[in-house]
Amino acid sequence: MIEPLRTDRLVVRRFTMADVDDFCAYQSDPRVRKFLQGAPQSAEEAARYLAAQAVLDERATSAWHGYAVQHLESGKVIGDVGVYLVSAGEGDVGFQFHPAFHGQGYAREAMVAFLRYVFDILGVEHVTAGCDRANAASSTLLQRLGLHPRPASPDDGDLRFDLTRDEWRAQP
């Protein structure tokens, strides 16, 4: 089971049922949903999702593994990071954060800790990520994390990014 990942301002950890209100507050915000597919989860759906995430085997493949990002100063969950483990060696990462915490480096701070976990603890060798072509903030963050854009067709609405464990380790 994942041990909490601590940074100067955050803890990345498993979700608990106590996180449902914080989770619903940001995942249903129209500014967060703008670039995401599907409708926000209801409180009941969110509770089921968090309960499932709390006990999911961290190495289960063909599964999304979402983790709460807790702000140390306020104690609130301000976002989440996650990885869809395609196989033991490949994953697709993502993140979403409460708009009140955008532009302050929290997503980068959480993702640096999380990518370290994905590569060094889970042993994933290659990650991908995607975002809507219009989502400049997420695209910029992914590139600042070292992910490089894949060539895309003009018809593709999403941008795709790649990063290998060796590329991650070679970064300053």
Side-chain angles (χ1 to χ4, degrees):
M1 188 169 332
I2 183 175
E3 294 294 322
L5 310 173
R6 297 189 181 275
T7 71
D8 290 341
R9 304 179 295 168
L10 305 169
V11 175
V12 179
R13 60 168 174 74
R14 290 255 187 184
F15 277 110
T16 69
M17 294 310 296
D19 299 328
V20 72
D21 289 340
D22 291 345
F23 176 77
C24 287
Y26 67 83
Q27 73 90 30
S28 63
D29 188 295
R31 295 167 291 180
V32 173
R33 301 299 318 169
K34 181 177 181 180
F35 298 113
L36 299 176
Q37 296 178 350
Q41 295 178 7
S42 68
E44 295 79 25
E45 292 167 328
R48 283 193 301 274
Y49 169 75
L50 297 185
Q53 289 299 313
V55 298
L56 180 64
D57 176 347
E58 71 183 303
R59 296 182 186 276
T61 58
S62 299
W64 177 257
H65 302 265
Y67 298 93
V69 177
Q70 183 176 15
H71 186 248
L72 285 172
E73 187 176 321
S74 70
K76 292 201 170 283
V77 172
I78 63 168
D80 59 84
V81 296
V83 60
Y84 181 87
L85 289 179
V86 177
S87 66
E90 185 163 349
D92 190 71
V93 296
F95 49 85
Q96 61 179 343
F97 280 80
H98 192 292
F101 295 90
H102 287 180
Q104 299 172 57
Y106 292 112
R108 184 176 195 285
E109 188 173 326
M111 284 300 293
V112 165
F114 188 65
L115 284 169
R116 190 175 304 121
Y117 163 76
V118 167
F119 286 126
D120 295 342
I121 304 301
L122 292 181
V124 171
E125 296 176 22
H126 176 248
V127 296
T128 58
C131 69
D132 188 287
R133 190 174 298 282
N135 191 343
S138 289
S139 174
T140 298
L141 173 58
L142 290 167
Q143 291 177 73
R144 288 185 65 219
L145 290 166
L147 283 88
H148 46 89
R150 284 186 192 172
S153 73
D155 298 332
D156 189 4
D158 289 340
L159 298 174
R160 298 295 303 163
F161 298 84
D162 289 287
L163 181 65
T164 67
R165 180 172 40 196
D166 290 342
E167 290 168 334
W168 170 256
R169 289 179 175 166
Q171 294 183 72

